[in-house]
Amino acid sequence: MIKIDNTYTIKDVAERFNLPISTIRYYDKQGLLPFVAKNQAGYREFTTADLHLIRTIVCLRNTEMPLRDIRQYINYCMAGPKSIPLRKALLQSHKSRVLKKQAKIMHDLQEIDYKLDRYNAPDAAAFVSAELQFASNEKRAHGLRDTFS
Amino acid sequence: MIKIDNTYTIKDVAERFNLPISTIRYYDKQGLLPFVAKNQAGYREFTTADLHLIRTIVCLRNTEMPLRDIRQYINYCMAGPKSIPLRKALLQSHKSRVLKKQAKIMHDLQEIDYKLDRYNAPDAAAFVSAELQFASNEKRAHGLRDTFS
DNA sequence: TCTTGCCCTAAACTATGGTTCAGGGTTTAT
DNA sequence: ATAAACCCTGAACCATAGTTTAGGGCAAGA
């Protein structure tokens, strides 16, 4: 008899998704894996459908969705097709948040790039020294301890 | 006598950068603000140069640099022009990490988009139902409790 | 002067997302 | 049949990044 598809141990899953076993247990405890069944020995036994759901969880996690929201999403998935509008809303708002954050990060990264450019300029040392000197003077001009120098 | 430039209270700084005062105090305690001087009363008194540095800190923080690394960077800034190579290295490697992470997030976001597309398809409900049915069958095929349904 | 608003510190508390450990059963290969 | 390799739970522990609270001093306007 040929086994078309198997079940997977927690170790298999950990390796497949490159997650620590402890994280999988933790996710289960947090209610992210309500679909995982246990065998007679009390061992978690993962099916291929489980793997698909875990892939989704990992994907959401990689995009920094909070575990609370992932749990919510999974609960929607368990609830059948009537939850499709809720799933869409959840994923959409997540996507928007992610894109907004990406944009903000790109913006702040530009400022960092600007600093890098300055450090790469031939007169970088002089510029940096002048800044430091200015900061120093400013402190003394205000009767403050000169924390620069 | 005309005051060309002023100093700023912690509240001023908090408002300018839209940070809670408690966070500024926390950053100071974590060694991110070694440049901030205190007046006779023990109050922090911020200069314009301080504000520039804080802007940089906020920028690094917005791009998720760990406080530990920001402290390092600020310490380099206090150390004068000889630390320019170190500053460059730190900012460069930070930038690379950020870009790499951005790329990964965009990739995972595509998977989420794929899910959204499916939910938006006319046959979404049927598809979702079929998936659930499959998952159900799979559980029973392996003699596991049917966690779906 | 005295009240209101602002400032300070230290220490405790919170949230999030895990990891590690102790103690104990199961399965597999030899 | 026994050791090595796995699996389990619960509870403690950890890191990161703050926030809150308690207790007290300083400053500015009425």
Side-chain angles (χ1 to χ4, degrees), chain A residues 1-8 48, chain B residues 134 138 142:
Chain A
M1 185 211 171
I2 294 160
K3 259 194 186 166
I4 297 295
D5 76 65
N6 243 319
T7 61
Y8 306 87
T48 58
Chain B
F134 172 84
E138 200 186 11
H142 289 293

Side-chain angles (χ1 to χ4, degrees), chain B residues 59-118:
Chain B
C59 186
L60 295 174
R61 196 67 205 90
N62 283 346
T63 54
E64 307 185 303
M65 183 184 280
L67 297 190
R68 190 183 331 106
D69 294 3
I70 298 179
R71 176 171 52 222
Q72 181 67 81
Y73 179 74
I74 292 295
N75 285 338
Y76 288 155
C77 288
M78 305 294 286
K82 67 182 179 303
S83 66
I84 289 177
L86 295 167
R87 302 187 206 185
K88 283 204 292 200
L90 208 169
L91 294 189
Q92 259 306 343
S93 83
H94 174 59
K95 180 183 166 185
S96 307
R97 268 193 309 274
V98 169
L99 288 178
K100 197 169 160 194
K101 184 173 173 186
Q102 295 277 81
K104 173 148 186 53
I105 286 180
M106 281 326 248
H107 176 80
D108 284 301
L109 210 50
Q110 277 188 2
E111 297 241 337
I112 292 172
D113 256 328
Y114 177 70
K115 285 221 162 274
L116 272 168
D117 285 350
R118 281 202 336 205

Side-chain angles (χ1 to χ4, degrees), chain A residues 137-148:
Chain A
N137 291 342
E138 199 185 13
K139 291 288 179 186
R140 287 180 292 108
H142 289 295
L144 297 169
R145 186 169 72 83
D146 183 359
T147 50
F148 302 94

Side-chain angles (χ1 to χ4, degrees), chain A residues 103-131:
Chain A
K104 172 148 188 52
I105 286 180
M106 282 324 248
H107 176 80
D108 285 300
L109 210 51
Q110 278 189 2
E111 296 240 339
I112 292 172
D113 256 328
Y114 178 70
K115 286 219 162 276
L116 272 169
D117 286 349
R118 281 202 338 204
Y119 289 146
N120 280 319
D123 62 339
F127 188 86
V128 161
S129 290
E131 261 185 347

